Amino acid sequence: MFITKKHLSRRTFLRGAGVTVALPFLESMVPAQTPLKNTAAAVKTRLGCIYVPHGATMYKWTPGTEGKDFQFSESLTALEKYRAQTYVVTNLAHASAQGADAGSEHARSAAIFLSGANPQRNTVRVGVTVDQVAASQISQDTPLPSIELAIEDVSLSCGAGYGCAYYNTISWRTPTVPLPMENSPQVVFEKLFGDGGTAEQRLTRKKQDRSILDSIVEQTQSLQKGLPSSDRTRIDGYLDDIREIERRIKLAEAQANSDVSVPDAPVGTPEAFEEHLKLMFDLMTLAYKSEITRVATLMFAKDVSPASYPASGNRAGFHGASHHANVKANMDNFALINKYHVQMLAYLIQKLAATPDGDGTLLDHSMILYGSAMSNGNQHDHDPLPILLMGGASGRLQGNRHIIAAPHTPMSNLLLSMLDKLGVHRDSFGDSTGRLEI
């Protein structure tokens, strides 16, 4: 229970010229002597869905034991310190992807991941994805119902008679309306904290080397008067995080566009994958922290991506490395990329675990799905999938578990159960045949 003298609305904003900044949860948002769970400020679960193409080396991914206190696999070791909020599910499958036209497996994988539906050829139709079903129920009272993030540029080279939309997003608002994924941290930053500023206004601010936060200094100081020290500290830390992310974006933009005029939508995209991904994860954390949105999706890469990750120890192109010819040495090398990607996921998990949120942390109040729609990338199969969940889902998800489902269990069974954990109840989802007990 929090006790405070001053009561603020959970949806308090600081507004300046072209700037709208939502506040994180503060003690002052809870009426004096009122249990948090009984107030409008009660924390709500955030949902994150993260997609990685090309499958995994499953014998390096799958934990060695089942149930509680399972033995972490080599690919998942970076998450062991978060064992209490790690949930691995084995034997899930995307049956919709099986038997696809030759050469079309990559064209379909991303669209199937969160829909459990069957993408149609020679048209654009799949199914509403789980993130958008959730957003329609748990994120309609936030400034943005959802955010869709990516690392790579839009793919314009598609094939096998399947639309490019299937490659470029994992999020579908309706069966025929894909949501574009944004890969520019600058554009995402402006979406989260800007207020429709024009290119001219942004350019003026850049020339003056002014932060978007400069226009809310007086309002921030006025707000903080009378707040308890804990709230003042939390606001200061939150604004420092925003300013630091802005600094990193400006640095990336300066490196990329030193002699280029500022376009209508300025782009500051780091060259290095790791730096780029961390910026996106930081923006995702801030969006959750301030409840600008409660739903986010992110693509590490697109199918058939040639990206390389030297820091993993494997310098081969991502897609090429997945075609390992089922040679053990090559599969072991591909597993280095799987392990590296999980290490990057651990960065987000650490950020969420270190961020206070109500009576716990953002990790306590989040449910993060991570995985691929492929299994063995060399064979383009979709069973069994490398899938895990992270977070406590506001007390509804118990971690430290490795569940081995019945062979060929539809991935949609897990998606349906995830909706249950979010308080969104449906009889079925995608090609589900029932619920998975999680």
Side-chain angles (χ1 to χ4, degrees):
M1 177 185 299
F2 295 107
I3 299 177
T4 182
K5 295 180 180 180
K6 185 172 183 177
H7 180 228
L8 297 177
S9 166
R10 179 65 184 91
R11 298 248 54 89
T12 298
F13 295 90
L14 301 174
R15 301 185 189 275
V19 177
T20 299
V21 178
L23 292 179
F25 176 84
L26 304 173
E27 293 181 14
S28 300
M29 292 172 178
V30 181
Q33 299 184 343
T34 304
L36 176 60
K37 66 180 181 179
N38 294 340
T39 75
V43 293
K44 297 176 177 64
T45 302
R46 282 70 154 189
L47 172 66
C49 301
I50 299 172
Y51 175 75
V52 185
H54 306 154
T57 299
M58 294 306 293
Y59 62 79
K60 294 274 191 177
W61 172 280
T62 308
T65 54
E66 186 180 6
K68 294 192 67 174
D69 300 317
F70 63 93
Q71 179 183 346
F72 270 75
S73 64
E74 185 175 326
S75 293
L76 303 181
T77 50
L79 300 175
E80 189 159 10
K81 66 184 295 186
Y82 307 104
R83 168 186 288 277
Q85 291 179 302
T86 301
Y87 194 109
V88 186
V89 188
T90 296
N91 281 343
L92 299 183
H94 270 311
S96 323
Q98 301 289 21
D101 303 326
S104 71
E105 293 87 347
H106 283 297
R108 299 154 56 92
S109 289
I112 291 171
F113 183 57
L114 298 179
S115 69
N118 188 4
Q120 300 299 298
R121 193 174 183 178
N122 298 318
T123 186
V124 177
R125 175 176 287 273
V126 57
V128 181
T129 48
V130 72
D131 61 301
Q132 290 305 298
V133 173
S136 70
Q137 298 294 315
I138 70 169
S139 199
Q140 290 302 300
D141 61 337
T142 63
L144 299 174
S146 63
I147 55 174
E148 293 74 39
L149 311 175
I151 300 302
E152 298 184 344
D153 290 327
V154 171
S155 176
L156 299 177
S157 177
C158 313
Y162 289 90
C164 287
Y166 294 143
Y167 282 92
N168 289 320
T169 185
I170 57 173
S171 182
W172 292 71
R173 181 174 293 152
T174 76
T176 59
V177 178
L179 293 176
M181 314 290 283
E182 181 54 66
N183 78 323
S184 165
Q186 174 69 56
V187 173
V188 175
F189 185 83
E190 293 282 353
K191 182 182 290 188
L192 296 182
F193 303 110
D195 191 20
T198 66
E200 183 179 354
Q201 289 173 326
R202 291 192 294 267
L203 180 57
T204 298
R205 189 171 64 228
K206 291 173 188 300
K207 286 181 176 178
Q208 295 174 346
D209 195 26
R210 293 175 60 225
S211 164
I212 68 166
L213 301 181
D214 291 341
S215 65
I216 61 171
V217 170
E218 290 186 8
Q219 192 177 1
T220 301
Q221 293 172 343
S222 176
L223 172 72
Q224 289 185 314
K225 292 178 181 178
L227 292 181
S229 60
S230 58
D231 280 352
R232 293 197 300 272
T233 299
R234 187 166 294 186
I235 290 174
D236 287 341
Y238 171 64
L239 297 181
D240 284 346
D241 287 345
I242 294 176
R243 196 179 295 273
E244 172 59 17
I245 288 175
E246 187 178 33
R247 184 195 68 80
R248 287 157 57 196
I249 290 173
K250 285 181 178 179
L251 179 61
E253 186 174 18
Q255 293 171 341
N257 300 312
S258 56
D259 297 316
V260 180
S261 60
V262 179
D264 286 345
V267 176
T269 303
E271 247 182 75
F273 167 80
E274 187 168 328
E275 183 184 350
H276 191 172
L277 182 61
K278 285 182 176 181
L279 259 177
M280 289 307 211
F281 278 157
D282 288 346
L283 287 165
M284 185 173 164
T285 301
L286 283 179
Y288 283 164
K289 184 176 183 178
S290 57
E291 288 203 309
I292 294 172
T293 189
R294 298 190 188 103
V295 177
T297 50
L298 187 149
M299 298 179 75
F300 268 44
K302 294 185 171 66
D303 279 81
V304 303
S305 169
S308 63
Y309 310 100
S312 71
N314 184 337
R315 292 181 172 272
F318 190 13
H319 178 225
S322 73
H323 284 276
H324 41 61
N326 292 328
V327 174
K328 186 176 185 303
N330 296 340
M331 295 176 77
D332 288 348
N333 282 334
F334 182 60
L336 295 176
I337 297 177
N338 302 150
K339 182 177 181 179
Y340 171 69
H341 283 160
V342 172
Q343 289 170 346
M344 295 299 96
L345 172 66
Y347 174 85
L348 171 65
I349 301 306
Q350 184 276 327
K351 293 285 292 187
L352 297 178
T355 303
D357 184 56
D359 53 1
T361 69
L362 276 180
L363 186 59
D364 294 327
H365 301 143
S366 295
M367 180 164 57
I368 307 296
L369 172 70
Y370 175 94
S372 182
M374 277 194 181
S375 180
N376 184 327
N378 186 71
Q379 297 173 198
H380 289 167
D381 61 9
H382 305 269
D383 182 4
L385 300 174
I387 299 292
L388 59 86
L389 286 174
M390 301 293 301
S394 302
R396 298 186 183 96
L397 189 64
Q398 303 301 317
N400 189 23
R401 296 175 68 190
H402 171 214
I403 299 301
I404 301 179
H408 321 304
T409 295
M411 169 79 173
S412 295
N413 288 14
L414 172 63
L415 300 178
L416 182 61
S417 296
M418 287 172 58
L419 288 174
D420 284 344
K421 299 296 184 184
L422 295 168
V424 180
H425 302 295
R426 294 168 59 111
D427 293 333
S428 63
F429 182 81
D431 59 354
S432 65
T433 58
R435 285 171 164 77
L436 186 69
E437 294 300 322
I438 57 175

